[in-house]
Amino acid sequence: MDGFDFGFSPDGEIIVDSETHDIYKSKDDELKIQLSYNRIKSISKNWFIDEVGADMEELIGRPCTEDMTEYGKQKIINVLLIDDLWNKDDIFIKAEIKDNVHIIYSVYLKLFQ
């Protein structure tokens, strides 16, 4: 993967080096992970210029069923395949219905062969 992006903390804040005051830059595998995280948590047509987002908010208010977990998994996989960010064989998602209002998705991405 070519290029870089500003480094973001898990809560969306730009990471700044406390000594140099330079903005941290994500590159290579770290960039792929950051892009993946941002795509999964984003809503398309919201703030992303490229309109790439998993739109997971569509699951809110729907019943927590096996069909719904599969629907969410497919939304995550689809957004990670855009622009060949990941190969489908390098994505594994475990979905767990915690209770009648929570589905937990654990996303595993293979970085090397």
Side-chain angles (χ1 to χ4, degrees), residues 12-77:
E13 298 296 323
I14 293 177
I15 300 171
V16 177
D17 186 296
S18 60
E19 292 180 19
T20 65
H21 303 289
D22 290 333
I23 295 175
Y24 180 78
K25 295 176 183 158
S26 296
K27 298 179 185 177
D28 304 319
D29 289 342
E30 190 177 33
L31 177 58
K32 282 182 74 171
I33 297 295
Q34 179 172 296
L35 288 172
S36 302
Y37 180 76
N38 287 343
R39 286 180 179 194
I40 292 168
K41 69 178 188 168
S42 292
I43 301 168
S44 63
K45 299 177 180 62
N46 189 8
W47 65 274
F48 257 100
I49 293 171
D50 54 11
E51 298 185 356
V52 175
D55 297 327
M56 296 300 286
E57 83 285 356
E58 289 180 14
L59 277 65
I60 296 172
R62 295 189 182 191
C64 292
T65 63
E66 289 299 322
D67 286 343
M68 195 54 55
T69 61
E70 288 303 312
Y71 177 70
K73 283 170 66 171
Q74 196 57 54
K75 291 181 78 51
I76 293 169
I77 290 169

Side-chain angles (χ1 to χ4, degrees), residues 74-88:
Q74 196 57 54
K75 291 181 78 51
I76 293 169
I77 290 169
N78 289 344
V79 79
L80 295 177
L81 297 177
I82 294 172
D83 298 332
D84 297 321
L85 183 61
W86 294 97
N87 181 311
K88 189 171 184 170

